[in-house]
Amino acid sequence: MKTKFVVLTLGMLMFAGGLLAQNSDKFGSDPDACRRNYSIYKEFYKQKSFKDALPAWYKTIEICPKFNRGLWSDGEKMFKQRIEQSEDQVKREELIDSLLWIYDQRIEFFGTDPRYPEGYILGNKGISILKYRPSEVQLGYSVLAKSIELQKTKSYAAILLTYMQASRQLFIDGFIDAEKVLADYETVMAITDDILAKTPDDADINKAKENIEIHFTKSGAADCDALTTLYSKQFEELKGDAEWLKKITNQLRKAGGSDGQLFYDAAEALFVLNPDSDAAHNLAAMFLNQQDYDQAKEYLEKSIEL
C-alpha cells in the first residue's frame, strides 16, 4: 500500500509540474510584464484606440506570444484597419507584410486550436492576400486551396466563393485551364451541397452557392466542350444520381450543348429516374435541336401533363 501511495504522489507531482511548465510557457520569460502589457493593450483595444494599443501589443507578443489566440486575432484586426487607412503605398506594403506575418505566427502558436485551426487561419490569410494584393492571385488561390483541403465542410461561405473567384481570374489570365476551373467548381459545390444537406437554411452558404454558379458560368471555362470532357468521364459512375444529372443538363443547356450525345444520355437517364416536367422538357429540347418534331411533341406533351 505504501509503495502505491509513493507512486501516486510522484504521478501527481509530475502532473502539477507539467501544468506549471505549460503555464510558464504561456506567460513567457517575464509573467508580470506579460500580464501588465496585455492589460494595457487590451484596455486600449476595447476602446478601439488601436494606435495606443499597439506599443503594449508588440511587447506582449515579444514576451508571451502563446498567451492566447486573441493576441493574434486582435493584431489582425488592428493591422487591417491600419492598411485601409494608410495612404502611403510603401508603408501600406509594409503593413500588409506584417498582417501576413501575423497569420503565420498564429498558425505557429495556435494552429492546432480545435475551434480555429490552421485551415481557418489560412482562409483568412488567403482572402487578405486577394484583397490587399490583388496582383498575387496565384498565391491567394493556393492558400485558399490549402484552407479548403483542411477545413472541408467547415469552410465558411466567403472562403468558398473567393476561391471560385480566384479560379475564374486565373483562367482568364491563362494560368489554369478550363478543366481545372471545372474541378474547382466541383470541389466547392460538393462542399456547399454537403453543408446545405445538414443546414438548408444557411443564408450565407446559399448566397455563396448562387454566386459560385454565376462566376463559373461567366468564367469562359463552362463551354460545351469543356463540360462534355469533364462530365463524360463521370457519367457511368453517376448516371444513377438524379441531382447530378439535373445539374449537368442545366449547365449543358446554358452552354449551348443541348444537341450533344452527353445531353441526350443525361436527359434520358434523368427521365427514367425522375420523370418530371423538367426532365421531359430537356428531352423535348434535344429532339427539337435534331429536328425530330414527333419526338419533341411527345415529350412536350409529357412535360405539360406532368
Side-chain angles (χ1 to χ4, degrees):
M1 181 63 70
K2 185 175 182 181
T3 303
K4 287 182 181 178
F5 176 76
V6 170
V7 171
L8 179 61
T9 303
L10 284 172
M12 291 174 68
L13 287 171
M14 289 172 69
F15 176 70
L19 287 178
L20 287 171
Q22 288 178 20
N23 231 24
S24 173
D25 200 31
K26 173 181 174 179
F27 289 105
S29 57
D30 191 338
D32 289 339
C34 173
R35 293 189 191 91
R36 183 172 61 253
N37 282 285
Y38 177 80
S39 296
I40 293 168
Y41 112 69
K42 199 66 179 177
E43 195 56 43
F44 283 123
Y45 181 86
K46 288 174 185 175
Q47 298 169 28
K48 298 188 177 178
S49 180
F50 295 164
K51 183 177 179 182
D52 295 318
L54 276 167
W57 179 82
Y58 279 123
K59 280 286 185 185
T60 309
I61 64 167
E62 179 186 344
I63 298 165
C64 49
K66 298 180 182 179
F67 187 69
N68 64 35
R69 70 166 184 257
L71 270 175
W72 302 102
S73 57
D74 289 350
E76 177 186 357
K77 185 172 181 178
M78 289 190 287
F79 273 84
K80 280 182 176 178
Q81 186 193 78
R82 293 182 75 196
I83 290 165
E84 286 158 14
Q85 292 177 348
S86 178
E87 296 179 0
D88 182 326
Q89 190 57 37
V90 174
K91 181 65 176 174
R92 180 182 166 87
E93 289 302 315
E94 291 174 357
L95 291 170
I96 294 168
D97 284 338
S98 295
L99 175 62
L100 300 184
W101 176 82
I102 286 169
Y103 291 123
D104 293 340
Q105 293 297 107
R106 183 173 172 182
I107 288 170
E108 180 179 343
F109 297 121
F110 294 97
T112 58
D113 183 273
R115 189 173 178 187
Y116 301 108
E118 180 181 1
Y120 171 87
I121 302 164
L122 286 172
N124 289 341
K125 181 179 179 180
I127 287 180
S128 289
I129 291 169
L130 292 166
K131 180 177 181 180
Y132 299 122
R133 285 191 175 145
S135 62
E136 296 189 11
V137 181
Q138 287 175 287
L139 176 60
Y141 171 79
S142 65
V143 172
L144 290 177
K146 181 65 175 175
S147 169
I148 292 168
E149 179 189 337
L150 292 171
Q151 292 292 92
K152 297 182 175 61
T153 55
K154 292 181 180 179
S155 300
Y156 56 95
I159 300 298
L160 300 169
L161 175 56
T162 307
Y163 181 67
M164 195 66 230
Q165 289 173 316
S167 180
R168 173 187 178 182
Q169 190 59 52
L170 288 175
F171 174 73
I172 292 168
D173 294 342
F175 289 108
I176 60 176
D177 59 21
E179 194 163 345
K180 178 58 178 162
V181 181
L182 289 165
D184 290 338
Y185 169 77
E186 289 286 295
T187 296
V188 294
M189 288 299 279
I191 291 172
T192 60
D193 287 342
D194 285 347
I195 295 171
L196 291 173
K198 296 176 182 175
T199 54
D201 297 327
D202 188 321
D204 289 338
I205 291 293
N206 274 298
K207 188 65 177 174
K209 183 176 181 178
E210 179 184 329
N211 285 307
I212 288 164
E213 287 274 14
I214 291 169
H215 281 290
F216 176 63
T217 302
K218 294 185 176 180
S219 67
D223 63 20
C224 184
D225 290 341
L227 291 171
T228 300
T229 299
L230 174 68
Y231 293 137
S232 292
K233 297 174 185 176
Q234 303 173 353
F235 184 76
E236 284 303 315
E237 180 185 351
L238 297 172
K239 65 183 180 182
D241 184 336
E243 287 302 313
W244 183 79
L245 292 167
K246 282 182 184 178
K247 180 182 73 175
I248 71 167
T249 51
N250 287 336
Q251 287 181 3
L252 286 166
R253 191 191 300 112
K254 288 177 187 176
S258 59
D259 57 350
Q261 185 63 41
L262 177 62
F263 183 87
Y264 173 77
D265 292 340
E268 189 175 46
L270 181 57
F271 189 75
V272 170
L273 290 171
N274 189 11
D276 63 11
S277 62
D278 286 339
H281 187 264
N282 282 336
L283 285 167
M286 188 272 299
F287 284 120
L288 278 171
N289 284 331
Q290 295 177 355
Q291 298 184 348
D292 186 340
Y293 300 121
D294 289 338
Q295 286 280 65
K297 179 185 175 185
E298 179 185 338
Y299 280 103
L300 281 170
E301 287 174 346
K302 285 181 180 179
S303 180
I304 293 166
E305 181 186 340
L306 289 164

